[in-house]
Amino acid sequence: MLDSNVVDNSKRTSLAAMAGVGLAVPLMLSSKDTKAALNPDSGVVNVVSDYGASGDGVTDDTTAFQNAINTGKTVVVPNNKTYKLTTLIPHSSGHIRLRPEAYSSDFPVLEPVNLGTDICMDWSSNVGATRICDVEGIAFHGWSVVARSTSGSIVVNFNRNKIYNGGAKGILFDCNVTEANVHYNQIYNLDNSTNSTQAITLGERTGTRDVSTGMFFVSNNVIKGLNTNKTGGGECHGIITRGFYAKIFSNHIEDVSSPNNVGNGAEAIYCNTRFGEITHNTIVDGGSGQGCITVKGNKRGETIDAAYAIEIAFNKIEGTGQNCSVGIGIFTGDTYCHHNIIEGVQYIDGYTIGDASGIFVNPGNVNNVRVEHNELYNIQTTKGINFRGRGNKNSCSWNRIHYVGHVSVIAQASGIWMELNGDSYQFRIEGNDINYADSILTSASNVVGIKWVATTYSHSGLSIKNNTINFSETTAANKQGIVIDGDSAQEFVNAHVIDNIVLGNYSSQWNGAPSSGTYTECIEMLNSWNTPTGSGWNTVTAGAQDSGGTGYRLLRMSN
């Protein structure tokens, strides 16, 4: 028999170790240790030999299962049988423990008496202090909801199970999940026309504020074919976590769709935790919502002492022309997004065209977001990396962005788009490689390598440095390397545009700054091209910072 302890906590890699910072994330007990501490195993019972379940796929076996569960022992379910059931209620202690007689491909199958209308296991009316959902090696066919709790607290160990051809939900624990270990499950073909569809939901949400303090470990699950056709739009998610810490790794998620809620309805992974690691996942057509991977920090008033709270790394996201308008959506600060591969993200009719992006960052008034060393290919949207909001010490650097644009809907495409609605400090845009091609552009398109759009606010320490922008493979009508745009009220202080390269038959290598405004020795140009467009530029004599020759500095002091 396989060991039920599928995650060895001694081998868990903390966020601090991966990011090289001093963040101490507490380690939880393993699933085996947690169960032993909360409810020592007092034996097993066999639902067929001890309680008379038939497993013939016709007889209602609910009474046999309920009597076995009521012993408080682990219930063994013989393989290669189909058991018809209605809803199961946990033992008075709050526990349900199910195991197969043998771990094999011949799962024991639990099937509702009325297909698609029932809840298999329901903890909602049982709010005992130490509840456990402990299920391994079981197949669930045709259930509307496999496991549910909407109140109280619970420990979840749900491993090596199969959920298929069901309705709204796989496992739905919209409550205080204190710890969850969810590994090696197969979940596919969940389809619902009247409600939202989720494969795995862990953690409580009260109104719009997530309040759970849980620790979640979700790995090596295969989730395919989630859909909701709810009139007016419904949400559709592969994995949802809400709590204190989540580690979501090595999952495969494919085809997540909410066609009536384009723009906000479908995400493969939705993580709303205080700290988290989302790594090494593979996503294909993972959502038309805010991102195939979407992170929103669980903001509860704490001060961030560590360098990073959320890490998104080494994921592969692929779109094949449907259900994939944003690759990664970041809606919180203190996030390190690096070494992800995003390919084939495509604008979907009905989506907000300005938001469709390979990576979309909209953290609001927060700091410390790094988007670095990612590879984006064939991004058929308006923007490769789309950075909104405000904040300090943000970075968009060392990314490869190849082929951005969409032949039918896009008048202008940008490799990197920065649209700031507040003050910024030490924003770095460095070392990016941006390339355009006619394969996803029309000849009438306007394309920009890097565009900075800001209004009203003050920007100090902007660095646009060592970027390469290549227009050699496109015949687009208007090609601009770097553009700084905005209104006359914005202010730049000590900004540097240095050592950038623009290749190909470009219209202009540089366009900026605004025609009027307040500047304080603000924009320094030390690149290998000719005089930038716009007024107010003074020649800078070659010096230590300008070994290549003449550069330019904007010295306008006031309107």
Side-chain angles (χ1 to χ4, degrees), residues 156-171:
V156 177
N157 296 290
F158 195 88
N159 306 308
R160 302 186 183 91
N161 302 290
K162 181 164 70 172
I163 301 172
Y164 63 105
N165 297 345
K169 310 291 188 295
I171 61 172

Side-chain angles (χ1 to χ4, degrees), residues 251 253 278-286 292-293 312-320 324 326-329 337-345 357-359 371-379 384-385 398-402:
N251 300 283
I253 304 174
I278 305 171
T279 65
H280 299 92
N281 300 284
T282 301
I283 299 170
V284 179
D285 289 336
C292 294
I293 297 175
I312 309 167
F314 303 105
N315 301 286
K316 184 175 182 180
I317 298 171
E318 180 181 352
T320 60
C324 193
V326 176
I328 296 174
C337 175
H338 65 100
H339 292 96
N340 301 284
I341 298 175
I342 302 172
E343 184 173 0
V345 174
S357 317
I359 299 175
V371 178
E372 298 174 351
H373 299 288
N374 300 285
E375 298 189 19
L376 287 70
Y377 298 98
N378 195 25
I379 306 301
I385 298 176
W398 305 294
N399 302 286
R400 295 186 66 189
I401 306 169
H402 283 207

Side-chain angles (χ1 to χ4, degrees), residues 281-302:
N281 300 284
T282 301
I283 299 170
V284 179
D285 289 336
S288 58
Q290 300 172 93
C292 294
I293 297 175
T294 300
V295 294
K296 293 188 175 182
N298 186 348
K299 302 179 183 70
R300 302 175 64 189
E302 302 92 339

Side-chain angles (χ1 to χ4, degrees), residues 46-56 59-61 64-65 78 81 83:
N46 188 301
V47 72
V48 172
S49 61
D50 294 331
Y51 288 91
S54 66
D56 60 7
T59 305
D60 186 341
D61 288 322
F65 270 80
K81 293 178 179 289
Y83 304 87

